[in-house]
């Protein structure tokens, strides 16, 4: 049993102490992994190996296992509630997305550091928040108004309220099964379709039920649902059809 | 500096230093600062603060600076000099607002056509609490208090000359006609109240 | 005054007068005043304002008065001199920046660099729910709502002039560039190479 990994001493921005302690703090979720610069840990290990002057293969192996576990944990932490989203991306896309987010988060941290420094520098600067005690009062003025607006406003108040509507009592829900059948037969003929196109002209309730049917099919893994951006057309494709490259809506 | 050197009594430099601290406090304060507040902030006694204020009093007198030290009820505060009043007015002038909100428009219309009316009456017609809207219209000077329902009754509101100017009216008599709502004020009021009742039913 | 009398060019007295007006405006303003605001309040041109500001710049420099003129948040504003910080701290809180957490700083940084951004976008970068942090920053007045993603989309946030003031920025453009990982990657590579070189040596 080698001791090299355990005796690795770290001196990072967010942590100072033995690698062991870092591991246990992370696992007990007492130290957010996103605060830890893992590249620094790797460098520390390489320098540590160098100081020892001999290549300890056991130590290297153990370190590789531990550091890759940490890297994976950190990667997952970048997608807290979006594991599904990440999982549905192609591996290269997922890697790219992950790198992009890491870079963005790193930039945010650097910017935060700059701001922290600024507060420190300006600690001795006081300024007034809000108006001066004896500032002149702000006058609110109103542009000239059409007198007809007054008559119109009064007429609005004289509009009889509509008789209570009973229309909602007659709301009829088409059965979900009707749409399940419709979507299945459509997908037997075509590998994909645009939801919005297919439900054009239907009532709001019908569209809602049609969408419920989609979710049901998705749950049963019969279809894939994709949308390029919020409010973009919703694209439906057979689950076995080739996967779309665009972002995939999960469970909705 | 080509002024001859002279010995400055320590007291004066102390006062000058304290005066600077007071300047700083006064420029940051959003309320007048009392003598007690100045004392505790500077950790100085009343006399020391008094001496320093004396210096500021001269430095920030009307006519010698754009900043004027003022003694008001709550204590000491800086204000703009009277000479700068016009520039200040231009700075604080807001661009004219384009129009009133629907709630304000309905309320002012009720006051114009049916006034003087009390807040409860307006509320009955509009079917909502109107305290905020009425207060807003009073603040803008479009309506004003004008007597009471009876000696101990609710305050009644009427429109103001400013209201007439804004709406381009020579007088209330030149309000657009609303014959379609009723033959006279009494009828219109009854009709509006009847509709309001149905609305809330 | 025992200085010899001399003719003072009109220009200088004009500047001195304008400087007084500027003093007055600055002492009552609730936010830094831009050159444009000063120009239109004083009805003067940019050059005239510039000359007057020059005078104030000297008069209200750190060390010469308790009041200090600073160029911040796209305008000019008075603040207390640093010498008076202790006295100020006894009297005034700093509600905007007091106790800002790391999470709040990261969030406000994201809004400053990428704004206007919506909460979901911030959450995506920070990897955690940011609703509470965003609400806190709005409460402090450091960020404010500024439009929506689209008509029905998420509310987007941007930083306020107060943010620039608290952090002493002349404008958002004076935030330093936060570059991609470029610098870090370079440094990591260098350090690894240094180790490698020692080994082969």
């Amino acid at each position: 049993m080698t001791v090299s990994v355990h005796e690795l001493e770290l001196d990072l921005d967010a942590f100072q102490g033995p690698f062991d302690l870092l591991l246990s703090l992370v696992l007990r979720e007492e130290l957010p992994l996103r605060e830890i610069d893992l590249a620094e840990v790797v460098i520390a290990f390489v320098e540590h190996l160098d100081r020892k002057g001999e290549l300890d293969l056991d130590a290297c192996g153990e370190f590789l296992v531990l550091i890759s576990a940490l890297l994976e944990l950190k990667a997952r932490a970048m997608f807290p509630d979006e594991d599904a989203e990440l999982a549905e991306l192609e591996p290269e896309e997922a890697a790219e997305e992950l790198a992009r987010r890491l870079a963005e988060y790193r930039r945010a941290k650097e910017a935060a550091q700059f701001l922290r420094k600024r507060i420190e520098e300006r600690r001795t600067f006081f300024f007034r928040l809000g108006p001066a005690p004896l500032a002149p009062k702000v006058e609110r003025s109103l542009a000239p108004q059409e007198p007809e607006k007054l008559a119109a406003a009064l007429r609005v108040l004289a509009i009889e309220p509509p008789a209570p509507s009973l229309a909602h009592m007659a709301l009829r829900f088409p059965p979900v099964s009707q749409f399940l059948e419709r979507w299945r037969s459509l997908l037997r003929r075509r590998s994909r379709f645009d939801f919005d196109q297919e439900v054009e002209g239907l009532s709001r309730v019908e569209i809602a039920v049609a969408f419920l049917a989609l979710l049901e099919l998705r749950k049963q893994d019969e279809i894939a649902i994709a949308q390029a951006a919020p409010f973009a057309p919703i694209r439906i494709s057979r689950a076995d059809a080739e996967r779309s490259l665009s972002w995939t809506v999960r469970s909705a | 500096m080509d002024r001859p050197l002279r010995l400055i009594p320590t007291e004066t430099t102390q006062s000058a230093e304290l005066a600077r601290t007071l300047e700083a406090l006064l420029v940051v304060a959003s309320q007048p600062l009392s003598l007690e507040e100045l004392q505790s902030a500077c950790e100085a006694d009343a006399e020391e603060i008094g001496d320093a204020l004396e210096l500021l009093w001269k430095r920030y007198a009307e006519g010698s600076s754009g900043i004027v030290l003022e003694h008001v009820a709550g204590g000491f505060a800086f204000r703009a000099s009277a000479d700068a009043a016009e520039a200040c007015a231009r700075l604080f002038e807001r661009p004219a607002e384009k129009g009133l909100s629907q709630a304000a428009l309905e309320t002012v219309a009720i006051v114009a056509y049916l006034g003087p009316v009390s807040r409860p009456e307006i509320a009955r017609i509009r079917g909502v609490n109107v305290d905020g809207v009425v207060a807003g219209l009073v603040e803008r000077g479009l309506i004003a208090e004008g007597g009471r329902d009876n000696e101990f009754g609710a305050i009644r509101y009427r429109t103001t000359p400013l209201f007439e100017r804004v709406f381009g009216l020579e007088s209330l008599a030149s309000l657009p006609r609303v014959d379609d709502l009723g033959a006279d004020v009494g009828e219109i009021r009854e009709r509006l109240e009847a509709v309001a009742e149905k609305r809330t039913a």
Side-chain angles (χ1 to χ4, degrees), chain A residues 19-244:
Chain A
F19 186 50
D20 263 10
L21 181 60
L22 173 71
L23 272 181
S24 64
L25 286 178
V26 165
L27 292 176
R28 294 208 307 259
E29 294 184 348
E30 282 166 29
L31 186 65
L33 197 46
R34 55 170 56 235
E35 304 287 322
I36 302 297
D37 194 342
L38 291 176
E40 281 293 322
V41 177
V42 173
I43 289 182
F45 180 70
V46 171
E47 285 171 345
H48 174 68
L49 278 184
D50 181 53
R51 273 195 303 277
K52 293 204 66 170
E54 57 185 86
L55 191 58
D56 185 335
L57 282 180
D58 281 343
C60 289
E62 191 187 1
F63 180 75
L64 271 180
V65 169
L66 290 173
I67 197 77
S68 29
L70 283 178
L71 281 168
E72 185 174 352
L73 270 181
K74 185 165 178 176
R76 285 181 187 281
M78 302 304 292
F79 293 78
D81 304 314
E82 304 178 50
D83 293 1
E85 193 175 286
L86 187 58
E88 289 187 24
L89 290 177
E90 299 294 338
E92 317 87 75
E93 288 176 311
E96 218 169 87
E97 176 65 15
L98 188 58
R100 197 181 61 75
R101 286 194 197 182
L102 266 171
E104 248 171 12
Y105 181 63
R106 173 83 69 112
R107 280 195 289 266
K109 267 189 70 170
E110 268 176 38
Q113 221 168 4
F114 165 77
L115 293 179
R116 166 90 61 208
K117 212 177 75 206
R118 286 303 274 205
I119 288 191
E120 209 38 50
E121 287 166 359
R122 291 178 62 84
R123 210 165 32 87
T124 54
F125 296 178
F126 280 78
F127 60 86
R128 177 161 41 75
L129 288 171
L134 304 177
K137 246 189 98 187
V138 177
E139 296 286 339
R140 291 173 76 187
S141 60
L142 188 59
Q145 301 291 305
E146 282 297 315
E148 267 308 322
K149 278 188 186 168
L150 294 167
L154 210 62
R155 288 197 181 96
V156 165
L157 291 168
I159 297 172
E160 299 272 341
S165 160
L166 298 173
H168 62 280
M169 309 285 282
L171 266 189
R172 289 272 217 71
F173 292 90
V176 175
S177 59
Q178 182 190 315
F179 280 102
L180 282 177
E181 269 329 293
R182 179 162 163 188
W183 299 142
R184 279 185 181 128
S185 76
L186 192 58
L187 284 170
R188 272 194 291 275
R189 281 176 280 128
R190 285 155 54 187
S191 62
R192 61 184 65 202
F193 63 87
D194 270 351
F195 177 73
D196 305 56
Q197 254 169 36
E198 293 303 321
V199 297
E200 217 179 311
L202 296 185
S203 75
R204 233 134 76 130
V205 174
E206 286 168 324
I207 293 176
V209 175
F211 192 71
L212 277 179
L214 280 187
L215 295 182
E216 185 57 31
L217 291 174
R218 171 73 185 75
K219 210 163 92 191
Q220 291 170 17
D221 271 330
E222 290 182 44
I223 58 164
I225 307 177
Q227 189 176 32
F231 300 102
I234 298 171
R235 239 193 176 186
I236 318 302
S237 52
R238 280 204 303 265
D240 52 349
E242 68 181 293
R243 294 194 46 173
S244 141

Side-chain angles (χ1 to χ4, degrees), chain B:
Chain B
M1 299 278 229
D2 46 8
R3 272 193 293 174
L5 272 171
R6 65 184 173 100
L7 284 173
I8 301 165
T10 341
E11 206 184 299
T12 315
T13 49
Q14 236 181 28
S15 283
E17 216 168 278
L18 199 50
R20 273 206 218 171
T21 308
L22 294 186
E23 281 174 338
L25 292 170
L26 289 167
V27 88
V28 177
S30 41
Q31 270 164 20
L33 297 176
S34 67
L35 262 180
E36 294 71 40
E37 284 171 310
L38 294 175
Q39 278 179 51
S40 72
C42 299
E43 295 187 328
D45 62 34
E47 201 185 328
E48 290 166 331
I49 297 288
D51 289 347
L53 276 174
E54 198 74 36
L55 283 179
L56 294 188
W57 211 248
K58 282 176 211 144
R59 191 178 306 164
Y60 297 107
E62 188 76 71
S64 46
S65 161
I67 303 172
V68 173
L69 181 62
E70 181 93 48
H71 192 184
V72 291
F76 298 87
F78 280 146
R79 65 166 168 82
S81 72
D83 296 339
E86 269 181 53
C88 281
R90 278 191 289 269
L91 181 67
F92 282 85
E93 195 174 81
R94 287 246 199 99
E97 284 165 50
K98 277 205 203 101
L100 294 168
S101 68
Q102 184 61 24
L105 194 60
E106 286 177 12
T107 304
V108 81
I110 292 170
V111 179
Y113 280 98
L114 309 180
V117 286
S118 66
R119 267 188 306 203
E121 285 173 306
I122 304 170
R124 206 173 321 137
I125 293 172
R126 290 206 41 236
V128 289
N129 180 302
V130 295
D131 294 1
V133 181
V134 166
L137 289 169
V138 170
E139 209 224 299
R140 319 178 63 134
L142 294 173
I143 65 174
E145 295 184 9
R148 291 183 178 269
D149 263 358
N150 53 53
E151 203 181 339
F152 302 103
I155 294 165
R156 302 165 91 191
Y157 295 88
R158 49 169 183 71
T159 52
T160 61
L162 174 65
F163 164 83
E164 287 166 23
R165 269 208 303 284
V166 165
F167 281 89
L169 303 168
E170 273 178 36
S171 73
L172 284 187
S174 46
L175 277 169
R177 301 185 68 92
V178 283
D179 297 344
D180 48 321
L181 297 180
D184 57 30
V185 169
E187 253 187 64
I188 295 173
R189 180 189 293 235
E190 264 171 45
R191 167 140 180 218
L192 295 181
E193 283 177 2
V195 169
E197 215 163 288
K198 273 191 229 165
R199 212 183 303 128
T200 50

